[in-house]
Amino acid sequence: MTAMILAQANAPSTVSTFFWIGVFTLGVIALLGGIFITKYFNLWIQAFLTHANVSIVDLVGMSFRKVNPNIIVRSKIMAYQAGLTEKDGLTTRALESHYLAGGNVPNVVRALIAANRADIPLSYKQATAIDLAGRNVLEAVQTSVNPKVIPCPDPTQGRNTIDGVARNGIQLKVKAKVTVRTNLDRLVGGATDETIIARVGEGIVNAIGSADTHLQVLEKPDSISKRVLDKGLDAGTAYEILSIDIADIDVGDNIGANLQALQAEADTRVARAKAEERRAFAVAKEQEMQAAVQENRAKVVEAEAEVPLAIAEAFRQGHLGVSDYYNLKNVQADTDMRTAIAGTGSGSNAARQTAGTPQ
């Protein structure tokens, strides 16, 4: 009896608990529904009305995959409105994949739309590859439609002209403009503006250097353009060269004359150095000869100094008499006289003084 009374007393409390649990559940559902409608319903309605084929499940999945659904839905709507469909590769999964890879989805879609309007063959796979390679695919498509002009040389690199020297030694300063169009097939892995500028500059210098005189180049500047274009300078680059136009050409210095003057000056210096070397060698040789003469004179003096000693020794030994000595002196005097008469030799002055003749 007591248990029945307690059960009847607890019944209203249990009903109240279930009621509040139900209210809380409905509130949570309403809140989630509001968030869902706020975040996804608007995008889903846009996709549905434009036949972009993006489901609610796809939108929810994007949030879990850390993909911005606004970018994907709006990019797909933009593509579908321009006439592109999933047959062109623009599926929701493909757009999400490119977004997760770090690509610029709206830029790729705009590039595909521009290529489609201009009848330029560009697939979604090719466009995404160009975008992931770090190139601006939209700019590439725009350059394919509207070619751009590259100044040669690039003024930002510190050079204003391309300088070449003709065979007659006259320098020519040239400014050129290269009109190029993007080659989408070679855009990935192809060289860019710097290579085009370098190749065109090399071709212009070569063309000027092949001319016999600078007057030929001044008379027909287009000969440079034709010669450079015939070399196929756009091979391996991301561009197709449409034309090379000579914007300005000026006459510079006479490089040939300057080089000849410098060479002549250098030859003069070399000749002077060699002459100085020969002079120094001659002076050294002369000094050596003078030293040898002095040495020989010293030997003669030394020998002459030994003659009196030898005569004295001959006197002591009895090998030389007084008469023999005077005969030797007479012979020596006779020899000095003969030398003086001939006008040569060291004895001429003494003979002249003895004879009383003026010097």
Side-chain angles (χ1 to χ4, degrees), residues 124-147:
Y124 176 77
K125 182 178 179 181
Q126 187 179 8
T128 54
I130 295 172
D131 185 62
L132 292 177
R135 302 289 181 85
N136 191 327
V137 62
L138 179 58
E139 181 181 353
V141 174
Q142 291 172 346
T143 306
S144 297
V145 178
N146 183 21

Side-chain angles (χ1 to χ4, degrees), residues 215-269:
L215 298 177
Q216 295 178 351
V217 180
L218 293 175
E219 182 180 358
K220 295 181 179 180
D222 58 334
S223 61
I224 300 178
S225 305
K226 293 178 180 179
R227 185 160 187 167
V228 174
L229 279 174
D230 292 341
K231 292 185 176 182
L233 301 180
D234 54 3
T237 66
Y239 299 111
E240 177 185 353
I241 297 179
L242 301 180
S243 67
I244 299 176
D245 304 306
I246 304 301
D248 188 19
I249 181 168
D250 296 323
V251 178
D253 298 331
N254 192 335
I255 301 297
N258 294 339
L259 291 176
Q260 290 177 359
L262 293 175
Q263 185 63 43
E265 184 179 354
D267 294 341
T268 302
R269 291 179 180 177

